[in-house]
Structure formats: C-alpha cells, structure tokens
Amino acid sequence: MATNNLHMETNRFFPRSMLSIVRAALTKSWWGFALVVLTLPLVIRILTFNGQEIQVAALIFIYSGLGHIAFCLFGSNMTDMAVKMGQQLTPEYPANFISAGVLLLAMYLLVTIALFSRFELIMLVSAVATALFAASIGLFITHGITGLRLLLTTAALIGVLLIIDYLFDNISNSAFLYVYGQVYFWVNFLLVLLSGIALYRWQLVFNSQAHVQTRSLRWLNVLRSYLDVRNAKQVKGVRTGYLMAPGFLKVAALERRPLWWWFRFGVIDPGALRAHLFWYCMLPVFVSFGGEISLTFLQLIAIVIMVAFASELLDTRDTAMRRLYLQSPWLSRQQFLMELGKFYCVAGLFVMLAGLILMLIGKLFGDNDLIMESLALGVIGFTGITMCFLQAQIANVRVKVWQGGVLIFLICVVGILFYLYLRFDVIQVSQWWLAAAALIAYLCMCGMFNLWSRSDIEI
Amino acid sequence: MNTPSPAIDAQRIEYSYDTDKVLNGIDLSIQPGTIIGLLGKNGCGKTTLINCLLGFLKIQSGASSILGDDSWDLSGDVRQRLAFVPQSNDLFDWMTTHQLVNYVSKFYANWNANLVNELLLEWKVPMTGVVREFSVGEAQKLAIVLAMGHEPELLIMDEPVAALDPSAKRKFIRQLIELNSEKGNTVLFSTHITADVERVAADVAIIRDGKTYFQGPIDELKEKVVKLHVTGTKDLNPLGRLFGVAALAVTGQEAVLTMENYSDSIRIQIEEQFDATVTPQTLGLEDIFVELADG
C-alpha cells in the first residue's frame, strides 16, 4: 500500500512536498540570507529611483543578474530537498523540483511587478522579461547540466542585455557602460588578477614545469570554486565555493605548521566563511550606487561583520574539537586550550584585516573618513564579545543561544550608535584614543585566553 | 594473581544540564578485552556518560578513569591508546577520504596504513569525492576506520551503526568486533538497538533513570529478567507487591508478570503462596529492554 501511495505522489506535478522545498530553498543557507540582505539596498534604490532610461535599464540589468545568482542558489537548495524527498518523475527532473521551481518563479514575478510597476509599461515589461529569463536559466543550470554553467551564465546575461536592447531601442550598451562606469575599478582589478594568473600559467607551460602545472591548475580551481554557488552534491568531484580546500592548504605539510594553524579545520565552518567572503566581494558593487550614504553603510557593515565574526569563531564545532583533543596526545588539556586560544587571536587579526580592506575598498569609490575609528570599533566589539563568552565559560555559566544572540546584537547596536555619533559629530573622540583602546582590548582578550585555558573548560 | 585494572572505571558519576540530572550515580567497570554494549532509551544519558568518561564534560560528583588515568586529565599516552567515534559525523566534510586519512595519520606515531587501506577497501568506503557527498553510512564507516588506524586499546563508539542498513549493519559490526577481539581490545559501544548488542557483545550495561540498572553478561541478564505465566485459584493481584516485579497483567485466574530479580526460590514462593502453577519464560534482549523501559 505504501508503495502505491508513493507512486501516486510521484506522478503528481504539484505534490504537497513542493511547499517544503520552496521553504527550504528560501531559508536553507547562509547564502540565501546574505543574498537577501545584499539585495535590500538595490530594492530601496529601485523604489526611490527617478532617473533616466539608461539608469533604469542599468537597474534592470543588475536586478536580473542578482536574480540569476539567487536562482542558482535556490535551485541547488531545491534539488537537494527534492532528492531527499526521493520522488522522481523522470531521471532528470523530480516532479516536486519542477513544481517548486514554478512556484518560486511566480513569487519572483510578483515581486518584480511590484518593484517596477511605478515605471513606464515598457520598463516593467523589460524588467519582468529579463528577470524571468535570467532566473529560469539560473534554475536550469543547477540541475543536470553542470559542464556548461559558465557559458550558460554568460549567455543569460547577454540575453538579458539583448532583451533590454530590444525593448528599449538599442540602449543595452549604454546601460552596461553605466554599470561598468560605477564599478570599473573592481572589474579592472579582477581582470588584472586574471591576466596575472594567465601569464603565470603561460610561463609555467613555456618552461615545461609539469609539476607546477598541477599547482597552477589548483589555483584556477580555487578561483573557479570561488565563483561557483552550487551545492557540491550536484557536482560530484568538483569543489564548490570553498576557498579553504585542503589541496590548496597542502595537508601533507602538517608538521611544518604550528598547531593552531590546523585548528581552523575544527573551528571554522567553511560555509560561514564562504558567506562572509561573498559579502566582501559583493559589497563594492552596492557602493557603486554612490554617495556618502553608501560609504557610511559600507563602514557600518564592516563593523557588524567584525563583531559578528566573533560568534563564528566562538561557535566551535564540538565533536571536531573533541576529536582534535584526543588526537593531540603531546598536549595537556591546558596546552590544547591555549593552542585553541592562539588560533582565535590570529584568526581575529585576519578578521580585522578583512574589515580594514573592505573599508579601504570603499575609499576607492569615494572620499570617506572615520576608517581608523570604524576599525577600532570593530576590534573592540569583536574582543568584547569574545571576552564575555570566555568569562562565562570560566565561571561555568552556560550561555543559551538566544542569550548569545542578544549579546551580539547589543554590542553591534552600541558599535553602530557610537559610529553614527562620531559621524554626525555628536561626540568627538580622537582616532588615536580609539586605536589605543582597541589595542588594549585585543591584548586583554589574548590574556583572557591564557586564564581561560587554565580553567576547567568543558570541551 | 593480580586482577588487571579496569579499562574503564566509573563510580557514582553524576552530571546535570542545568536542572536536568542526566546521570544520577552511574557505576561502570569494564575489564580489558571486554566488548560491551551500552543500552538505554533515547535521552537516558548514554552520550553524556561517554562524554564524561572521555573528559569532554566534567563530572559533578563521583570518579571516573580510563586506562588508569583520571578522565578529566587524560595523559598523552592514554589518548594515544584510545579512540572515539561520535554519534554525529565530525569529519571535515570538504576533504576526500585520502586527504582525511593523510591528515589524521599525522597525529599518531603508530598509524597502521595497511590496516586502514584494507578496511577502506573491505568496507567499500568511497575513495573519490569529498566527504559531504558520502551517504551517512559511508561517512560513518570512514569515521570508524579513522578511529581504528592507530590500533587503539580502547575503542569507544556512540551509536556507530545507526546509519547503516540492516544487512550492512550486521556484516559490518561483526567484522568490527572480530577485528578487535582478535587483538584483545576493549570496545564500548552505545546503542538503543538491542539486536546490535545481542549479535556481537558478550556483555551489556543498561542505563535506566540515570543509574546503571545492570552490567554483566547478556545470559546473566536473561536469567535475571524473566516473564512468569501464573495460573491459580486465588486472587492474583497481590503478586504486584512482590519485590522485583517490573510489570503485571492479571486476567481472571491468570497473570503474566515480569520479574527483575528472578530465581527459583521466587517461583516456589509464588506457587506456595498463591496455590498456582508458574511457568517461566526466558526473554530476548529486546523484550527485556521493552519491559524494563515500560516498567
């Protein structure tokens, strides 16, 4: 009987499971969350925009491009869920995947209409046509056809420009140039980077250094995986979205690295790392919307990222830590915890460096100040959260998830308020005082790790 | 002749999560070379007990040692001699099998690469693709292979085969235990699937209400917990007042009761006191588990 029921479910195009799949596609990953947050400035821009045709076309182009990325992500989440539910209509497409895709596209269609309805009819039609085209291609790429994804993505974006061209009377070139003009520095930087890698590879091939050829390919894989948003389960044997792949880090060289270096495997979830890297990459695009507000927004985001990253570091992967502890017989319990502490401190430096780079990127797009102050606020927030959690562990107090969340939220709010007070000259604090405070806070955090490692900390 | 010191020795261990007391005075003493299944209902504290034994959690009362070392302060020597396979997959899922083996092997001086390769082949662990592409069962097999690579004297596994299908489970667990018994290793594995224990372990420890209800050979448990079919002429309801009755069902002149501390003297006592005929029925481990859990 059960088999028969399953059969009936299999042959339905709109099974109830489709709703679960849609929900999972929207909420399943960090990626989705990051994408939604990143899209918000664009939505606000669309809602408040009163510009020329070229600028509207540029907005439609960016909107469709982001829609394409979003549906690559949703598609991989959907496939994952559809496969888990185990119902397949044909070898290629599970029925619930198709119906969930249709539902998701319908939702996207309604959002697009809502966003662009205030423009002229031709603009609305262009937005709907390009967005749905790009989204459909994005969805299609994530299931089945994987080898041609880069080509299909490029083709989709060219297709978007062609539709814009058709509906706007040959405007796509201007629209593209408008977008490019806003983010030209970033695009040029990427092109120079790619050229450098190509030259390096060419030089290796020219010198017939076959063993280095592998290494150079590895770098290309890293670069490719960095742009690949699909779920790895859909592309067996291909790394997706993980910069910290062990091949890149050369696992065989374990003995040459200090132990804390290897603790990264235990404490950082590559998924979270990937999401943060994505933020760093995409934010300059939004800075392209120009003006002081965008730069302020960028600095605020940098502060929040620095503060929030502390929670990523402190959210240790328990069982992995336990395995590492058992695997490190040459370290006492205290020494093991101290190595862990060293890793946190060094990783903290990387987080701060990333925050600084983000703000410096922002500086390339406009004349912003308060860089030192923003960095100091980020560092103080990061160390503050870390020390609160360490103190709780030393005192053997279990911090519940919601309590940790509230703490992080409060420290972020305080940091943001402090920044805004500085920005609008409500308070005036020398940047050097703030820098000194950040340095002292960081040193205190390092010292507290020493105390922490000597306490009875459960692993 | 000296008795060897126990591989695992836990005395009156207590542990609470906030106000929830999970372990309430557990005793466990496991001699070297024993293969023992740790049984208990979901949420009864099996994982917490293992975490306390391995020193991940600090026991709040009592004492615990592993291979002679205090659990909270395991020496490097002891940590080299033991291995642990957790309930949830803790493998770094972006590594391939080869990379993981390479990575873990670097931590151990006595890594047996031949054994690992044999087991990987024998248990059909995928050698291509990264771990996150594996099925749960494949990842679990890999975790166990990695735990056995340094040939530990003591292997502790928390529900190691829960993810395997019945046929694979049977074959896999039999090989696993054979391999360890050949070398005289101690194996403690927790599960709530009684068939796993019955199939491979000679000994069993049952946790109930935060305490060790029973620890010893399975046969001894089967002799101890017995179902009695009683037929008599008197009222049989007072049978429930006897010491050690876990469950009682009376229907007219017939009663079925489960005794936790059965002996012939109890049978004789019932026969004389109730003028009844008593027929003992030996229970399988699963039935015992169910009777005790419901009781």
PDB file of all heavy atoms in Angstrom, chain A residues 185-205:
ATOM      1  N   PHE A 185      36.547  50.087 -11.281  1.00  0.00           N
ATOM      2  CA  PHE A 185      37.796  49.781 -10.589  1.00  0.00           C
ATOM      3  C   PHE A 185      37.824  48.305 -10.181  1.00  0.00           C
ATOM      4  O   PHE A 185      38.815  47.598 -10.365  1.00  0.00           O
ATOM      5  CB  PHE A 185      37.951  50.664  -9.351  1.00  0.00           C
ATOM      6  CG  PHE A 185      39.255  50.429  -8.646  1.00  0.00           C
ATOM      7  CD1 PHE A 185      40.403  51.123  -9.018  1.00  0.00           C
ATOM      8  CD2 PHE A 185      39.359  49.481  -7.639  1.00  0.00           C
ATOM      9  CE1 PHE A 185      41.616  50.873  -8.398  1.00  0.00           C
ATOM     10  CE2 PHE A 185      40.570  49.228  -7.019  1.00  0.00           C
ATOM     11  CZ  PHE A 185      41.702  49.934  -7.402  1.00  0.00           C
ATOM     12  N   TRP A 186      36.711  47.859  -9.646  1.00  0.00           N
ATOM     13  CA  TRP A 186      36.612  46.480  -9.168  1.00  0.00           C
ATOM     14  C   TRP A 186      36.751  45.485 -10.337  1.00  0.00           C
ATOM     15  O   TRP A 186      37.482  44.502 -10.251  1.00  0.00           O
ATOM     16  CB  TRP A 186      35.263  46.314  -8.468  1.00  0.00           C
ATOM     17  CG  TRP A 186      35.057  44.989  -7.814  1.00  0.00           C
ATOM     18  CD1 TRP A 186      34.104  44.086  -8.126  1.00  0.00           C
ATOM     19  CD2 TRP A 186      35.806  44.428  -6.758  1.00  0.00           C
ATOM     20  NE1 TRP A 186      34.220  42.994  -7.324  1.00  0.00           N
ATOM     21  CE2 TRP A 186      35.263  43.165  -6.469  1.00  0.00           C
ATOM     22  CE3 TRP A 186      36.915  44.851  -6.016  1.00  0.00           C
ATOM     23  CZ2 TRP A 186      35.752  42.331  -5.480  1.00  0.00           C
ATOM     24  CZ3 TRP A 186      37.409  44.017  -5.027  1.00  0.00           C
ATOM     25  CH2 TRP A 186      36.844  42.788  -4.770  1.00  0.00           C
ATOM     26  N   VAL A 187      36.065  45.799 -11.428  1.00  0.00           N
ATOM     27  CA  VAL A 187      36.122  44.912 -12.595  1.00  0.00           C
ATOM     28  C   VAL A 187      37.548  44.879 -13.150  1.00  0.00           C
ATOM     29  O   VAL A 187      38.104  43.817 -13.456  1.00  0.00           O
ATOM     30  CB  VAL A 187      35.133  45.390 -13.687  1.00  0.00           C
ATOM     31  CG1 VAL A 187      35.306  44.576 -14.968  1.00  0.00           C
ATOM     32  CG2 VAL A 187      33.712  45.267 -13.182  1.00  0.00           C
ATOM     33  N   ASN A 188      38.169  46.055 -13.226  1.00  0.00           N
ATOM     34  CA  ASN A 188      39.543  46.111 -13.741  1.00  0.00           C
ATOM     35  C   ASN A 188      40.495  45.330 -12.852  1.00  0.00           C
ATOM     36  O   ASN A 188      41.401  44.648 -13.334  1.00  0.00           O
ATOM     37  CB  ASN A 188      40.017  47.561 -13.844  1.00  0.00           C
ATOM     38  CG  ASN A 188      39.322  48.282 -14.984  1.00  0.00           C
ATOM     39  OD1 ASN A 188      38.644  47.641 -15.783  1.00  0.00           O
ATOM     40  ND2 ASN A 188      39.466  49.585 -15.053  1.00  0.00           N
ATOM     41  N   PHE A 189      40.272  45.450 -11.560  1.00  0.00           N
ATOM     42  CA  PHE A 189      41.124  44.727 -10.615  1.00  0.00           C
ATOM     43  C   PHE A 189      41.033  43.220 -10.883  1.00  0.00           C
ATOM     44  O   PHE A 189      42.046  42.516 -10.939  1.00  0.00           O
ATOM     45  CB  PHE A 189      40.682  45.050  -9.185  1.00  0.00           C
ATOM     46  CG  PHE A 189      41.338  44.195  -8.141  1.00  0.00           C
ATOM     47  CD1 PHE A 189      42.674  44.384  -7.802  1.00  0.00           C
ATOM     48  CD2 PHE A 189      40.634  43.184  -7.501  1.00  0.00           C
ATOM     49  CE1 PHE A 189      43.281  43.581  -6.848  1.00  0.00           C
ATOM     50  CE2 PHE A 189      41.233  42.383  -6.548  1.00  0.00           C
ATOM     51  CZ  PHE A 189      42.568  42.585  -6.219  1.00  0.00           C
ATOM     52  N   LEU A 190      39.810  42.735 -11.056  1.00  0.00           N
ATOM     53  CA  LEU A 190      39.612  41.309 -11.332  1.00  0.00           C
ATOM     54  C   LEU A 190      40.280  40.896 -12.645  1.00  0.00           C
ATOM     55  O   LEU A 190      40.912  39.849 -12.731  1.00  0.00           O
ATOM     56  CB  LEU A 190      38.119  40.982 -11.401  1.00  0.00           C
ATOM     57  CG  LEU A 190      37.423  40.734 -10.065  1.00  0.00           C
ATOM     58  CD1 LEU A 190      35.948  40.456 -10.290  1.00  0.00           C
ATOM     59  CD2 LEU A 190      38.055  39.559  -9.331  1.00  0.00           C
ATOM     60  N   LEU A 191      40.137  41.770 -13.648  1.00  0.00           N
ATOM     61  CA  LEU A 191      40.734  41.452 -14.950  1.00  0.00           C
ATOM     62  C   LEU A 191      42.258  41.371 -14.844  1.00  0.00           C
ATOM     63  O   LEU A 191      42.892  40.486 -15.405  1.00  0.00           O
ATOM     64  CB  LEU A 191      40.320  42.505 -15.980  1.00  0.00           C
ATOM     65  CG  LEU A 191      38.863  42.397 -16.450  1.00  0.00           C
ATOM     66  CD1 LEU A 191      38.517  43.550 -17.390  1.00  0.00           C
ATOM     67  CD2 LEU A 191      38.631  41.062 -17.162  1.00  0.00           C
ATOM     68  N   VAL A 192      42.832  42.332 -14.087  1.00  0.00           N
ATOM     69  CA  VAL A 192      44.298  42.324 -13.917  1.00  0.00           C
ATOM     70  C   VAL A 192      44.721  41.047 -13.192  1.00  0.00           C
ATOM     71  O   VAL A 192      45.704  40.395 -13.554  1.00  0.00           O
ATOM     72  CB  VAL A 192      44.746  43.581 -13.124  1.00  0.00           C
ATOM     73  CG1 VAL A 192      46.210  43.460 -12.700  1.00  0.00           C
ATOM     74  CG2 VAL A 192      44.553  44.824 -13.972  1.00  0.00           C
ATOM     75  N   LEU A 193      43.942  40.680 -12.186  1.00  0.00           N
ATOM     76  CA  LEU A 193      44.249  39.464 -11.424  1.00  0.00           C
ATOM     77  C   LEU A 193      44.213  38.238 -12.335  1.00  0.00           C
ATOM     78  O   LEU A 193      45.135  37.403 -12.330  1.00  0.00           O
ATOM     79  CB  LEU A 193      43.232  39.305 -10.297  1.00  0.00           C
ATOM     80  CG  LEU A 193      43.524  38.248  -9.255  1.00  0.00           C
ATOM     81  CD1 LEU A 193      44.709  38.649  -8.397  1.00  0.00           C
ATOM     82  CD2 LEU A 193      42.309  38.025  -8.373  1.00  0.00           C
ATOM     83  N   LEU A 194      43.161  38.154 -13.129  1.00  0.00           N
ATOM     84  CA  LEU A 194      43.027  37.016 -14.051  1.00  0.00           C
ATOM     85  C   LEU A 194      44.160  36.995 -15.072  1.00  0.00           C
ATOM     86  O   LEU A 194      44.712  35.947 -15.388  1.00  0.00           O
ATOM     87  CB  LEU A 194      41.671  37.080 -14.773  1.00  0.00           C
ATOM     88  CG  LEU A 194      40.474  36.648 -13.931  1.00  0.00           C
ATOM     89  CD1 LEU A 194      39.181  37.003 -14.656  1.00  0.00           C
ATOM     90  CD2 LEU A 194      40.527  35.154 -13.672  1.00  0.00           C
ATOM     91  N   SER A 195      44.528  38.189 -15.547  1.00  0.00           N
ATOM     92  CA  SER A 195      45.627  38.268 -16.517  1.00  0.00           C
ATOM     93  C   SER A 195      46.911  37.777 -15.878  1.00  0.00           C
ATOM     94  O   SER A 195      47.704  37.064 -16.500  1.00  0.00           O
ATOM     95  CB  SER A 195      45.827  39.712 -16.987  1.00  0.00           C
ATOM     96  OG  SER A 195      44.625  40.226 -17.423  1.00  0.00           O
ATOM     97  N   GLY A 196      47.132  38.180 -14.628  1.00  0.00           N
ATOM     98  CA  GLY A 196      48.343  37.758 -13.907  1.00  0.00           C
ATOM     99  C   GLY A 196      48.410  36.247 -13.804  1.00  0.00           C
ATOM    100  O   GLY A 196      49.457  35.629 -14.051  1.00  0.00           O
ATOM    101  N   ILE A 197      47.279  35.632 -13.457  1.00  0.00           N
ATOM    102  CA  ILE A 197      47.241  34.170 -13.325  1.00  0.00           C
ATOM    103  C   ILE A 197      47.503  33.518 -14.679  1.00  0.00           C
ATOM    104  O   ILE A 197      48.263  32.553 -14.790  1.00  0.00           O
ATOM    105  CB  ILE A 197      45.881  33.718 -12.755  1.00  0.00           C
ATOM    106  CG1 ILE A 197      45.759  34.177 -11.306  1.00  0.00           C
ATOM    107  CG2 ILE A 197      45.721  32.201 -12.832  1.00  0.00           C
ATOM    108  CD1 ILE A 197      44.392  33.992 -10.708  1.00  0.00           C
ATOM    109  N   ALA A 198      46.897  34.094 -15.730  1.00  0.00           N
ATOM    110  CA  ALA A 198      47.088  33.537 -17.076  1.00  0.00           C
ATOM    111  C   ALA A 198      48.556  33.621 -17.483  1.00  0.00           C
ATOM    112  O   ALA A 198      49.133  32.667 -18.018  1.00  0.00           O
ATOM    113  CB  ALA A 198      46.218  34.298 -18.068  1.00  0.00           C
ATOM    114  N   LEU A 199      49.180  34.763 -17.197  1.00  0.00           N
ATOM    115  CA  LEU A 199      50.594  34.929 -17.540  1.00  0.00           C
ATOM    116  C   LEU A 199      51.459  33.922 -16.772  1.00  0.00           C
ATOM    117  O   LEU A 199      52.388  33.328 -17.326  1.00  0.00           O
ATOM    118  CB  LEU A 199      51.045  36.357 -17.189  1.00  0.00           C
ATOM    119  CG  LEU A 199      50.799  37.405 -18.265  1.00  0.00           C
ATOM    120  CD1 LEU A 199      51.138  38.785 -17.729  1.00  0.00           C
ATOM    121  CD2 LEU A 199      51.656  37.103 -19.496  1.00  0.00           C
ATOM    122  N   TYR A 200      51.134  33.750 -15.510  1.00  0.00           N
ATOM    123  CA  TYR A 200      51.891  32.824 -14.674  1.00  0.00           C
ATOM    124  C   TYR A 200      51.796  31.408 -15.246  1.00  0.00           C
ATOM    125  O   TYR A 200      52.789  30.695 -15.366  1.00  0.00           O
ATOM    126  CB  TYR A 200      51.320  32.890 -13.255  1.00  0.00           C
ATOM    127  CG  TYR A 200      51.945  31.919 -12.282  1.00  0.00           C
ATOM    128  CD1 TYR A 200      53.298  32.009 -11.949  1.00  0.00           C
ATOM    129  CD2 TYR A 200      51.176  30.923 -11.679  1.00  0.00           C
ATOM    130  CE1 TYR A 200      53.864  31.122 -11.059  1.00  0.00           C
ATOM    131  CE2 TYR A 200      51.739  30.040 -10.794  1.00  0.00           C
ATOM    132  CZ  TYR A 200      53.080  30.136 -10.484  1.00  0.00           C
ATOM    133  OH  TYR A 200      53.633  29.256  -9.611  1.00  0.00           O
ATOM    134  N   ARG A 201      50.584  31.028 -15.617  1.00  0.00           N
ATOM    135  CA  ARG A 201      50.387  29.698 -16.195  1.00  0.00           C
ATOM    136  C   ARG A 201      51.161  29.548 -17.495  1.00  0.00           C
ATOM    137  O   ARG A 201      51.795  28.528 -17.746  1.00  0.00           O
ATOM    138  CB  ARG A 201      48.895  29.467 -16.484  1.00  0.00           C
ATOM    139  CG  ARG A 201      48.101  29.103 -15.272  1.00  0.00           C
ATOM    140  CD  ARG A 201      46.819  28.435 -15.683  1.00  0.00           C
ATOM    141  NE  ARG A 201      47.065  27.135 -16.296  1.00  0.00           N
ATOM    142  CZ  ARG A 201      46.182  26.466 -17.024  1.00  0.00           C
ATOM    143  NH1 ARG A 201      45.006  26.978 -17.230  1.00  0.00           N
ATOM    144  NH2 ARG A 201      46.464  25.300 -17.533  1.00  0.00           N
ATOM    145  N   TRP A 202      51.095  30.583 -18.311  1.00  0.00           N
ATOM    146  CA  TRP A 202      51.776  30.542 -19.604  1.00  0.00           C
ATOM    147  C   TRP A 202      53.279  30.354 -19.396  1.00  0.00           C
ATOM    148  O   TRP A 202      53.939  29.576 -20.067  1.00  0.00           O
ATOM    149  CB  TRP A 202      51.488  31.841 -20.356  1.00  0.00           C
ATOM    150  CG  TRP A 202      52.231  31.945 -21.644  1.00  0.00           C
ATOM    151  CD1 TRP A 202      51.931  31.319 -22.804  1.00  0.00           C
ATOM    152  CD2 TRP A 202      53.414  32.708 -21.883  1.00  0.00           C
ATOM    153  NE1 TRP A 202      52.857  31.642 -23.773  1.00  0.00           N
ATOM    154  CE2 TRP A 202      53.780  32.494 -23.217  1.00  0.00           C
ATOM    155  CE3 TRP A 202      54.203  33.559 -21.097  1.00  0.00           C
ATOM    156  CZ2 TRP A 202      54.895  33.092 -23.795  1.00  0.00           C
ATOM    157  CZ3 TRP A 202      55.306  34.151 -21.660  1.00  0.00           C
ATOM    158  CH2 TRP A 202      55.652  33.916 -23.000  1.00  0.00           C
ATOM    159  N   GLN A 203      53.811  31.067 -18.396  1.00  0.00           N
ATOM    160  CA  GLN A 203      55.248  30.977 -18.114  1.00  0.00           C
ATOM    161  C   GLN A 203      55.610  29.560 -17.661  1.00  0.00           C
ATOM    162  O   GLN A 203      56.641  29.012 -18.047  1.00  0.00           O
ATOM    163  CB  GLN A 203      55.582  32.011 -17.029  1.00  0.00           C
ATOM    164  CG  GLN A 203      57.025  32.049 -16.573  1.00  0.00           C
ATOM    165  CD  GLN A 203      57.205  31.302 -15.274  1.00  0.00           C
ATOM    166  OE1 GLN A 203      56.306  31.255 -14.460  1.00  0.00           O
ATOM    167  NE2 GLN A 203      58.370  30.712 -15.091  1.00  0.00           N
ATOM    168  N   LEU A 204      54.735  28.948 -16.872  1.00  0.00           N
ATOM    169  CA  LEU A 204      54.998  27.588 -16.395  1.00  0.00           C
ATOM    170  C   LEU A 204      54.992  26.594 -17.552  1.00  0.00           C
ATOM    171  O   LEU A 204      55.861  25.725 -17.648  1.00  0.00           O
ATOM    172  CB  LEU A 204      53.934  27.175 -15.363  1.00  0.00           C
ATOM    173  CG  LEU A 204      53.923  27.955 -14.068  1.00  0.00           C
ATOM    174  CD1 LEU A 204      52.770  27.479 -13.199  1.00  0.00           C
ATOM    175  CD2 LEU A 204      55.242  27.759 -13.325  1.00  0.00           C
ATOM    176  N   VAL A 205      53.990  26.736 -18.405  1.00  0.00           N
ATOM    177  CA  VAL A 205      53.896  25.837 -19.548  1.00  0.00           C
ATOM    178  C   VAL A 205      55.112  26.020 -20.453  1.00  0.00           C
ATOM    179  O   VAL A 205      55.715  25.066 -20.944  1.00  0.00           O
ATOM    180  CB  VAL A 205      52.590  26.109 -20.337  1.00  0.00           C
ATOM    181  CG1 VAL A 205      52.555  25.295 -21.618  1.00  0.00           C
ATOM    182  CG2 VAL A 205      51.389  25.779 -19.472  1.00  0.00           C
TER     183      VAL A 205
END
